[in-house]
Amino acid sequence: MAEVEKTRGLEAKGVFFRYEVDESEKVLALAGVDLEIRQGEFVVVLGPNGSGKSTLAKHLNALLLPDEGDVWVFGMNTKDPGLTWEIRRSAGMVFQNPDNQLVATVVEEDVAFGPENLGIEPGDIRTLVAEALKSVGMEAFSRHSPHHLSGGQKQRVAIAGVLAMKPKCIILDEPTAMLDPSGREEVMKTIKRLNQELGITVIHITHFMDEALYADRVIVMDKGELVMSGTPKEVFSQWKEISQIGLEVPPVGQLSRRLWSSGANIDSGTLTVDELVDELCRLRSQT
Amino acid sequence: MPIEVANLTHTYMKGTTSEVTAISGISFRIDDGEFVGLIGATGSGKSTLIQHLNGLLKPTSGKVMVDGVDIWSKGVSLKEVRRKIGLVFQYPEQQVFEETVYDDIAFGPRNLGYSQTEVESQVKKACALVGLAPDLLSRSPFELSGGQARRVAIAGILAIQPKVLILDEPTAGLDPRGRTEILDNIKALHRNGMTVILVSHNMDDVARLCERVMVLDRGKLVADGPAREVFSRREFLESMRLKPPEVTILMEKLRKRGWAVRNDVLTVEEAYAEIVEELRRKGVAGAV
């Protein structure tokens, strides 16, 4: 039994959730979600505004509890109040606005905030903080004030704050929405590295379709339901459904599809610049 | 109503130990009907600059002239300047405070002392311009979707009938459909004669819409030219923590592999046309 528990990732079964607008009105935010995320998986969640992405994310670290159905985080049912803190420690969350997440006046104090709350020994905290900052490439800034950092650096500090709690999973709710192009890339590369090198499970919510290309698996939410799940290529190949939901195939994917549909003999599901360059050069040399 | 900025410098907390020069030595002119994109990394001074254009910030040195008049000279009504040059801030829905959408949009015209009937007609016109259904007017602004809330904020500025519209990150946080709707609204406003200044981190949006692009880097205006020209300078942009659109990078990489395609392509449609033409020139079978 213990062995089985160890390998369980994050699971949602038949989850319904309603938000209370006022006393008389409730809105269905999750309408029967079934989802299984393996340990070590990098999952990107796409979906229009109001599709239930954030509500789902908050269920995965017990910030919200299902009205119906169950959520298990590494084998722990989120409805068990005795497990709430252990669940939040193992599945940490990073939010959109870095300025609302950083509380201390010095970077390392900010990162130490979580472990301090867990009552960890000061000596161990120092080690945890140093390791966490190193993992996000911010060790040189440990004595800096967070307020003078760029947006991407602030988000990396916020990620380090979660890492210092030694989580198995990080849930990021639109962490790149407010960043400039390099800040966005910094954050995406950082979480990809944490996933690949430390084996941390990543659940990344975004409106930027190109960020889906970092994922092992993309899931798409619409009106509270999970409507698609697959590799980036599989999901974006359903371009009609994608656009009906109000999402978009990334620009390079749109171009590949257009070229393919007008007769160019290339893979219509090509999504990245380098792959399309290779495809096109292969085609061009066939003369 | 051209806007001219001459040698503009702004230093926050001047004369204290924490003084910071946010922008320095900036000069440019924007003419009627232009569609200008303003790009730059976080902290490059974009917000400081646009707040000078409608007199929310006073230059530490240099001038801001609207219609040939220095807006900080004696006798100029800053209220009138702010009416003519409308500024939509980032995440405007966070500043919504009225009880109904109507009251929120009516705030500006009421503040300017318009009559009841004038206010009503301006609110209706503004809603039509951004495609807001009239039945939303009686709702609470807090019940709106992200895209609707953003349009209400833009309508609130349009209701004071500005000649110039400055938008700071109007699509941040919106889903692709919400983004396209807002951008279509802005495009239509421009087509009808509005001068538009778009501040954005989304290079695809800027490339698709703006004719002219200005680049700020650490408080200095480091490039100002046609969008095509600016976005074809990849290394330059990357040194500024920016990036051309993906399709522009694609064309550059194809050129490096010997393709005779343009390097100043900005949209999927343009890239498609260039690639098809090259394939035809090379006689690649199957490429229509």
Side-chain angles (χ1 to χ4, degrees), chain A residues 81-114:
Chain A
L83 296 173
T84 305
W85 289 105
E86 182 52 21
I87 288 170
R88 292 196 187 146
R89 194 198 59 75
S90 27
M93 247 181 126
V94 176
F95 297 95
Q96 189 181 97
N97 190 340
D99 293 319
N100 297 345
Q101 298 174 72
L102 304 180
V103 286
T105 51
V106 180
V107 164
E108 60 181 13
E109 283 172 15
D110 207 280
V111 177
F113 186 77

Side-chain angles (χ1 to χ4, degrees), chain A residues 125-142:
Chain A
I125 291 180
R126 257 187 299 265
T127 317
L128 282 171
V129 168
E131 274 174 15
L133 282 170
K134 196 153 182 267
S135 303
V136 298
M138 287 296 290
E139 64 272 33
F141 294 86
S142 60

Side-chain angles (χ1 to χ4, degrees), chain B residues 121-147:
Chain B
S121 111
Q122 284 313 324
V123 170
K124 280 191 179 144
K125 267 194 221 161
C127 282
L129 286 172
V130 296
L132 277 175
D135 63 302
L136 287 179
L137 288 171
S138 57
R139 295 243 206 118
S140 156
F142 298 100
E143 292 170 26
L144 304 178
S145 75

